[in-house]
């Protein structure tokens, strides 16, 4: 098996975050594990890339502002996903524009994480 890197996002409401990622990015939920009513780990997939979401706790707190990690999502139809991400509650950080290095923009999701949405 090849090495992989898959981030885990700690958020204040993992169930709401999962719903946002479904609406905004078309995420598919692969698994969900609960303990004491909290989501301790949920695996999601977007176009074959996987990441996880969990309810924040004392070990893994939720961000209290912008997170210094930026997640990049390369998409075949970046314009459609851009609109969905904003309609689902995301906030524009940098507008979606054409650059010499490609079409991309940046959003903040409602849970404190920043995403660059870029044309594949």
């Amino acid at each position: 098996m090849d090495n992989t890197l898959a981030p885990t996002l700690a958020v204040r409401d993992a169930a709401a975050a999962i719903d946002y990622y479904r609406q905004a990015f078309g995420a598919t939920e692969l698994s969900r594990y609960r303990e004491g009513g909290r989501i301790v780990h949920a695996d999601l997939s977007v176009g074959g890339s996987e990441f996880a979401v969990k309810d924040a706790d004392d070990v893994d707190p939720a961000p209290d502002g912008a997170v210094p990690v930026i997640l990049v999502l390369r998409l075949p139809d970046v314009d459609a996903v851009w609109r969905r991400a904003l309609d689902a509650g995301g906030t524009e950080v940098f507008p979606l524009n054409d650059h010499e290095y490609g079409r991309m923009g940046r959003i903040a999701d409602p849970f404190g994480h920043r995403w660059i949405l870029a044309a594949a």
Side-chain angles (χ1 to χ4, degrees):
M1 179 166 132
D2 292 331
N3 294 339
T4 61
L5 176 65
T8 297
L9 309 180
V11 298
R12 284 191 173 77
D13 186 344
I18 292 165
D19 287 342
Y20 173 80
Y21 299 133
R22 279 185 186 146
Q23 290 175 29
F25 306 141
T28 300
E29 186 173 334
L30 304 174
S31 64
R32 182 184 293 205
Y33 302 96
R34 292 183 164 277
E35 186 175 291
R38 303 177 63 130
I39 296 173
V40 295
H41 186 91
D43 287 307
L44 304 176
S45 175
V46 176
S49 295
E50 293 184 17
F51 66 102
V53 177
K54 67 170 288 193
D55 279 310
D57 54 29
D58 292 337
V59 175
D60 300 313
D64 286 327
V67 177
V69 173
I70 302 164
L71 300 151
V72 179
L73 187 54
R74 298 187 193 288
L75 305 151
D77 190 352
V78 69
D79 291 87
V81 175
W82 180 265
R83 286 188 297 278
R84 285 198 326 252
L86 295 176
D87 289 346
T91 304
E92 182 178 278
V93 176
F94 293 118
L96 181 64
N97 280 317
D98 293 318
H99 303 273
E100 64 181 78
Y101 43 85
R103 183 162 181 75
M104 62 182 56
R106 188 176 304 180
I107 65 156
D109 71 29
F111 308 93
H113 298 279
R114 303 268 173 122
W115 297 78
I116 291 175
L117 304 185

